[in-house]
Amino acid sequence: MKPEMDAAVMRVIEGTQFVLGPEVAAFEERFASYCNVKHCHAVSSGTSALHLALLAAGVGPGDEVITVSMTFVATTAAILYSGAKPVYVDVDPVTWTMNPALIEAGITPRTKAILPVHLHGLMADMDPIMEIARRHNLVVIEDAAQAHGAEYKGRRAGSIGDLGCFSFYPGKNLGAYGEGGAVVSNNAEFAKRVSLLRDWGQESKYNHVAHGYNYRMDGIQGAVLKVKMDYIEAWTEARRSVASTYDHLLDKHRCKRPAPPAHSRHVYHVYAVMLEQRDEVQKVLQAAGIGTGIHYPVPVHLQKAYADLGYRAGDLPVTEQLANQFLSLPIYAELRPAQVSEVVAELEKLFLVAAA
Ligand SMILES: Cc1ncc(COP(=O)(O)O)c(C=O)c1O
């Protein structure tokens, strides 16, 4: 990609549109069409995308937002930035995403929105979530930070809820060369509000009509992301192929993984397995030169920073068990089948030891 990237970055430098500008606008158009939505506004990060989506939907002080604790802290942080309070429901043990059967118990007269997270690239069970939201007159905001191009019953991540939020942090499936994010929507009013609030609430230059933010995307990030739009589908299919090699090799072991429903397109931002001796396994793999991760070791409701929300260990049992047993195996588009076999061979040695 180097020649294309060099040219794209130089176009921004020579054009001197360092903030928003034509490259960002062209990327927004490409990304809206990729997500199959009418509107896309590029912003400075996934966190600012969530913050703006909440504000655009009218979420504010005194409101409650139903969400999950099995996520990166940004989901909760954005709700708190808006002045609202996060209310957690546990995740489903099969898909590891928001368990719709538990949502209604969390709804109160203060509930304003539901914010499911498409964890690791697998979309939450959106049909029942939307049905409950419509029945209770709630807004749905999808946290699709890990789910570029994921699908639920043929519909793309970000296109089912009232608003969808993406992160383009460099490690994401679609990553910028720095921070970046986007809010997508089919609702023209919400989209207009996001557009206004990301740029100081300016309706026109120095005409401020709302309390806004400096949440605009850089021109260089727009240019880089636009180049990457030509590759994202191939990269996603390559990730899915790596995942299917892992699936095939791990099927013979009792090694729990999420079960993506047949109607879903999981985009494998993370390929995680559940292992009882997770920490030991991680050390052994590390010694064999195989890097792994844990997404995430301490769920948000048990983080010190959010102790004031009043949750305790035991409140979200599925989330807590996953946090203790998750291990994310290496996955990226360029990982070769032989390397996947090598990872699984190391795991197999441990399974045999554990079984002996
Ligand atoms: C689920 C989830 N939500 C929100 C974010 C926040 O995105 P960013 O890091 O771009 O602010 C992330 C990224 O780390 C994420 O994984």
Side-chain angles (χ1 to χ4, degrees), residues 278-311:
R278 186 264 316 275
D279 295 341
E280 291 89 318
V281 172
Q282 186 174 39
K283 277 191 210 128
V284 174
L285 290 179
Q286 187 64 42
I290 297 167
T292 56
I294 301 173
H295 302 93
Y296 298 90
V298 180
V300 185
H301 73 288
L302 299 181
Q303 293 280 352
K304 191 170 155 202
Y306 302 108
D308 57 342
L309 295 174
Y311 287 84

Side-chain angles (χ1 to χ4, degrees), residues 26 35-36 53 202 226 275 292:
C35 298
N36 203 13
Q202 294 183 98
K226 186 169 67 103
L275 297 166
T292 56

Side-chain angles (χ1 to χ4, degrees), residues 44-50 68 70-76 78 115-120 143-147 165-170 172 178-182 269 295-296:
S44 53
S45 69
T47 309
S48 49
L50 286 165
V68 287
M70 179 41 71
T71 177
F72 183 60
V73 288
T75 318
T76 281
L115 206 171
V117 176
H118 304 324
L119 190 75
H120 298 169
D143 184 338
Q146 305 184 358
C165 301
F166 290 86
S167 163
F168 306 121
Y169 181 77
K172 292 292 193 283
E179 305 277 358
H269 174 55
H295 302 93
Y296 298 90

Side-chain angles (χ1 to χ4, degrees), residues 52-61 63 82 112-113 139 141 163 190 193:
L52 289 187
L54 287 156
L55 296 181
V59 175
D63 294 333
S82 77
K112 191 77 182 244
V139 173
I141 299 171
L163 296 130
F190 289 161
R193 194 107 188 115

